[in-house]
């Protein structure tokens, strides 16, 4: 078992800086998810840990050992890819055995490990099938089985569920979480899907343009995002970001002038704002409700019926789109002007640079 440390890691392709000075310590046995938009460098970072990609600067340590110049096969890692990367002419069993046979593992040992891995993943009925005779989910289980066979210290997953349909994604998510629990191995999991990140991670690392924006437990990032990017990336539907101006200021209490002459109170860190500052008010959809008494006014665009919940989308006076949640009761009519009340829950405030200046509950001001 081993943890992974990235110390000032960077990667350039010529003049293009793809990873910029990333430092991070992943504990042994931890499940860490790298999340961020397409092209932000998630795969590159993972491949640098795996040893498939050279390192321009900094150090990668696995189990405390610097592995910058170590071959991928000697690092004690196994990677699972989005496209499964199975050999089409080999059966599931042969695919799983291939890597171990190559390094001269005794046949009995290989057989034993196939039995164990296929029991964990319920692959026994499919072992003699070739990839084309398997569904996407079964193929991905074979690919995960192949990784388990190597008994790695560190598992690396690069968007392993992206090619699966929605229902299968949900069940495989649970499978991987169970696998982590069972094996207790360190796992680094890359995804662009905030739901996977929120549900699977011990800690989430949010990446943007090759840099870490924030690291923390899912709920910590959700409740206390350090900037509007992190706030916008985690949570579905997305957080509402409403342009506002600081109209009044008294210590940590601000009154924000919002579109349509609305006034909204919020709390900011003392000294972080001045009257007249342009800021952004961040309101999660779950604290916004359409009612007759609300402070924000908008024209209703769409109502989505999700069963226990309705999502009411509207446009504010300045053109900002918002989404609110309604639990029970009738939604306002499409095209009507409705009011939206802000319930209890954090009112995020972001400054002109989109950094959070929110004074969070329980935090020293
Ligand atoms: P992600 O996995 O987050 O979608 P990647 O790690 O695949 O992102 O890519 C990060 C950035 O690096 C992208 O902008 C991509 O175009 C660039 N990139 C990846 N490989 C190369 C390469 N061989 N040469 C130049 N740029 C590359
Ligand atoms: Mg990628």
């Amino acid at each position: 078992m081993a943890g992974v440390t990235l110390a000032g890691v960077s990667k350039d392709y010529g003049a293009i800086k793809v990873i910029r000075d990333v430092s991070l310590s992943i504990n042994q046995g931890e499940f860490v998810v790298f999340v961020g938009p397409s092209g932000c460098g998630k795969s590159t970072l993972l491949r640098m840990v795996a040893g498939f990609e050279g390192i321009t600067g900094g150090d990668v340590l696995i189990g405390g050992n610097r592995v910058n110049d170590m071959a991928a096969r000697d690092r004690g890692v196994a990677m699972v890819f989005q496209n499964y990367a199975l050999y089409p002419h080999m059966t599931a069993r042969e695919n799983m055995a291939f890597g171990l046979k190559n390094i001269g593992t005794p046949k009995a040992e290989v057989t034993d490990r196939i039995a164990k891995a296929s029991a964990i993943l319920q692959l026994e009925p499919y072992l003699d099938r070739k990839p084309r005779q398997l569904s996407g989910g079964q193929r991905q289980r074979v690919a995960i089985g192949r990784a388990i066979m190597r008994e790695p210290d560190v598992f690396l997953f690069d968007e392993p569920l992206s090619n699966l349909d929605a229902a299968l994604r949900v069940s495989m998510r649970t499978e991987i979480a169970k696998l982590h629990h069972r094996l207790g191995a360190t796992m680094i999991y890359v995804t662009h899907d905030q739901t996977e990140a929120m549900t699977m991670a011990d800690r989430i690392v949010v990446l943007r343009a090759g840099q870490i924006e924030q690291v923390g437990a899912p709920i910590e990032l959700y409740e206390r995002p350090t900037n509007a990017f992190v706030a916008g990336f985690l949570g579905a539907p997305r957080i509402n970001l409403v342009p506002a101006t600081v109209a009044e200021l008294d210590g940590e209490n601000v009154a924000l002038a919002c579109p349509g002459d609305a006034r909204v109170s919020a709390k900011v860190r003392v000294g972080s704002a001045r009257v007249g500052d342009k800021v952004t008010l961040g309101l999660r959809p779950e604290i916004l409700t359409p009612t007759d008494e609300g402070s924000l006014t908008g024209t209703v665009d769409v109502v989505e019926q999700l069963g226990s919940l309705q999502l009411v989308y509207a446009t504010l006076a300045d053109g900002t789109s918002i989404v609110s949640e309604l639990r029970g009761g009738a939604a306002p009519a499409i095209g009507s002007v409705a009011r939206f009340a802000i319930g209890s829950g954090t009112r995020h405030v972001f400054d002109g640079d989109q950094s959070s200046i929110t004074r969070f509950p329980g935090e020293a001001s």
Side-chain angles (χ1 to χ4, degrees), residues 37 65 114 128 152 273 311 325:
N65 301 313
I114 288 178
D128 293 315
L311 297 178
E325 294 189 359

Side-chain angles (χ1 to χ4, degrees), residues 24-342:
L24 176 71
S25 257
I26 297 170
N27 299 322
Q28 177 181 313
E30 200 175 12
F31 196 116
V32 168
V33 176
F34 292 171
V35 70
S38 182
C40 72
K42 305 179 295 293
S43 295
T44 304
L45 200 50
L46 201 66
R47 293 170 60 82
M48 288 162 84
V49 175
F52 300 143
E53 204 79 68
I55 296 164
T56 309
D59 290 319
V60 175
L61 291 86
I62 298 177
N65 301 313
R66 183 174 177 277
V67 298
N68 292 32
D69 307 311
M70 191 185 281
R73 65 174 176 279
D74 299 326
R75 294 189 182 193
V77 303
M79 188 150 160
V80 178
F81 302 88
Q82 177 178 348
N83 61 6
Y84 322 130
L86 300 174
Y87 294 107
H89 59 286
M90 291 184 195
T91 62
R93 185 194 312 277
E94 289 161 349
N95 264 290
M96 287 168 70
F98 186 70
L100 286 185
K101 275 193 181 158
N102 256 1
I103 57 169
T105 310
K107 202 165 177 222
E109 170 80 25
V110 175
T111 308
D112 185 49
R113 288 201 205 176
I114 288 178
K116 273 193 205 144
S118 48
I120 291 173
L121 292 161
Q122 290 154 18
L123 276 172
E124 289 104 333
Y126 313 112
L127 286 176
D128 293 315
R129 293 200 200 167
K130 294 192 172 156
R132 67 182 149 77
Q133 298 165 311
L134 297 169
S135 71
Q138 290 159 352
R139 280 178 215 169
Q140 192 53 286
R141 295 221 302 272
V142 174
I144 295 170
R146 180 178 56 186
I148 294 176
M149 294 279 294
R150 304 185 53 186
E151 299 184 348
D153 293 325
V154 181
F155 283 84
L156 306 173
F157 295 93
D158 193 357
E159 311 230 15
L161 309 185
S162 297
N163 289 351
L164 306 179
D165 66 48
L168 203 49
R169 261 205 313 270
V170 173
S171 68
M172 283 299 292
R173 216 158 73 195
T174 323
E175 289 301 317
I176 293 175
K178 276 197 252 170
L179 186 69
H180 175 245
H181 194 71
R182 180 159 180 171
L183 301 177
T186 309
M187 295 189 174
I188 308 178
Y189 186 104
V190 161
T191 181
H192 64 274
D193 179 337
Q194 67 89 30
T195 312
E196 285 180 18
M198 288 296 293
T199 55
M200 298 175 87
D202 291 324
R203 276 193 305 160
I204 295 176
V205 178
V206 180
L207 292 166
R208 173 166 61 165
Q211 282 179 309
I212 294 181
E213 291 286 314
Q214 195 171 1
V215 181
I219 198 66
E220 196 178 314
L221 266 54
Y222 185 81
E223 289 180 346
R224 299 186 177 206
T226 188
N227 56 40
F229 178 82
V230 174
F233 206 83
L234 301 177
R238 273 167 66 92
I239 192 170
N240 296 294
L241 295 172
V242 178
T245 306
V246 177
E248 291 170 51
L249 180 64
D250 176 15
E252 62 179 31
N253 296 304
V254 286
L256 302 177
C258 294
D261 287 332
R263 278 293 169 103
V264 174
S265 63
K267 288 186 188 300
V268 298
R269 293 195 301 273
V270 172
S272 64
R274 282 180 298 185
V275 170
D277 281 358
K278 301 280 181 213
V279 296
T280 302
L281 173 64
L283 302 170
R284 297 269 179 210
E286 61 265 29
I287 74 164
L288 263 191
T289 315
T291 68
D292 294 339
E293 303 297 309
S295 51
L296 293 171
T297 306
T299 306
V300 178
D301 298 317
V302 175
V303 177
E304 284 178 356
Q305 180 64 255
L306 299 181
S308 65
L309 177 73
Q310 296 179 84
L311 297 178
V312 180
Y313 294 81
T315 305
L316 303 182
D318 70 329
T320 300
S321 299
I322 59 164
V323 52
S324 62
E325 294 189 359
L326 183 62
R327 284 167 201 280
I334 292 168
S336 69
V337 174
R339 288 180 162 275
F340 298 86
I342 305 170

Side-chain angles (χ1 to χ4, degrees), residues 3-14:
V4 176
T5 302
L6 306 175
V9 164
S10 64
K11 174 76 182 180
D12 305 345
Y13 288 110

